[in-house]
Amino acid sequence: KQEVTQIPAALSVPEGENLVLNCSFTDSAIYNLQWFRQDPGKGLTSLLLIQSSQREQTSGRLNASLDKSSGRSTLYIAASQPGDSATYLCAVRRGTGGFKTIFGAGTRLFVKA
Amino acid sequence: DVKVTQSSRYLVKRTGEKVFLECVQDMDHENMFWYRQDPGLGLRLIYFSYDVKMKEKGDIPEGYSVSREKKERFSLILESASTNQTSMYLCASSFNWGPRDRATDTQYFGPGTRLTVL
């Protein structure tokens, strides 16, 4: 059974710092991995999607990496800003395709001005 | 832009009431999903639908049912609400998966409905 874990559960950093959020999954046979952002009381917004054959994806100040063999993904945020404060969720779609996506519980990020 | 809307942002119901949560998407997506989100547990899939009138159970379907009479609308029904169904409910939609969709294989989420059952 696929399990997705995100550590730490919460993180507080000063503005301008580069930071890394971690995601681990137990079954390496994945179809893709996705990082989402969720603002308080809101739905999820997709940030980056990495296909199983890819190693990383970049969008602006965000870079996500994927290492299937070790069951790990990281989300790197460069030069953090207070507007980056949100919960970041990692989600894994199983390798046999289909529709089930397993979500981690998220890392709540606070960026202090 | 894809838009997924949910009928209510906040809802308060009493134990035993029948509750309908509505979700509408405007991008002609084949797939639609209902999740619930609870602190420390992340999102858990309740039901999903890959076509009109088609539905599949997710990981926690007990106490819920769904209806998809039209492609753009997916309803979640709590037949007899209970206090342990107090939660944030999130609807999502996506294109049907397949090789041609790999680049856009993402779920688009609605804003969520925070349901409180008293």
Side-chain angles (χ1 to χ4, degrees):
Chain A
K1 179 185 173 185
Q2 180 72 274
E3 293 182 2
V4 179
T5 303
Q6 292 185 248
I7 295 174
L11 181 63
S12 180
V13 301
E15 181 178 7
E17 191 163 300
N18 302 326
L19 60 101
V20 174
L21 306 181
N22 297 295
C23 172
S24 62
F25 46 94
T26 54
D27 186 349
S28 62
I30 66 171
Y31 185 75
N32 63 36
L33 183 144
Q34 197 162 4
W35 284 92
F36 290 88
R37 170 185 172 138
Q38 185 177 30
D39 292 291
K42 302 285 182 65
L44 279 66
T45 301
S46 177
L47 297 173
L48 291 165
L49 183 148
I50 311 176
Q51 301 293 350
S52 60
S53 58
Q54 298 174 324
R55 298 282 294 183
E56 66 177 349
Q57 284 286 337
T58 298
S59 176
R61 294 183 294 109
L62 305 179
N63 175 275
S65 68
L66 174 64
D67 183 345
K68 278 200 312 177
S69 60
S70 66
R72 294 180 186 276
S73 175
T74 61
L75 178 67
Y76 174 83
I77 302 177
S80 59
Q81 303 170 357
D84 295 329
S85 298
T87 297
Y88 291 82
L89 293 99
C90 165
V92 169
R93 187 162 169 183
R94 65 184 188 187
T96 52
F99 305 99
K100 285 194 178 180
T101 300
I102 310 299
F103 287 80
T107 294
R108 192 162 182 189
L109 174 65
F110 300 92
V111 180
K112 298 171 288 187
Chain B
D1 280 351
V2 175
K3 192 169 183 182
V4 181
T5 57
Q6 295 183 227
S7 52
S8 304
R9 292 299 310 276
Y10 301 93
L11 207 54
V12 179
K13 295 291 182 180
R14 297 208 173 272
T15 302
E17 279 193 76
K18 190 169 186 176
V19 181
F20 292 87
L21 302 183
E22 303 283 340
C23 176
V24 177
Q25 50 92 6
D26 66 357
M27 277 301 291
D28 204 35
H29 284 169
E30 291 87 358
N31 304 328
M32 296 188 76
F33 309 81
W34 275 108
Y35 295 90
R36 64 176 283 176
Q37 185 178 28
D38 301 287
L41 296 178
L43 273 75
R44 293 178 292 167
L45 182 64
I46 304 171
Y47 267 97
F48 64 94
S49 169
Y50 52 89
D51 202 351
V52 175
K53 296 190 185 295
M54 304 303 287
K55 61 185 179 184
E56 291 282 343
K57 292 180 180 179
D59 298 316
I60 51 165
E62 296 79 18
Y64 303 95
S65 62
V66 290
S67 172
R68 192 161 182 207
E69 297 296 319
K70 294 185 178 181
K71 191 175 185 180
E72 68 270 19
R73 187 180 298 269
F74 192 34
S75 303
L76 180 69
I77 304 156
L78 287 66
E79 296 289 342
S80 177
S82 63
T83 55
N84 63 13
Q85 293 179 309
T86 292
S87 186
M88 170 72 105
Y89 289 87
L90 292 163
C91 173
S93 70
S94 71
F95 287 110
N96 204 6
W97 80 280
R100 68 177 175 87
D101 300 318
R102 288 180 73 94
T104 60
D105 180 26
T106 188
Q107 293 182 29
Y108 296 87
F109 282 81
T113 295
R114 184 164 295 281
L115 172 66
T116 301
V117 182
L118 302 175

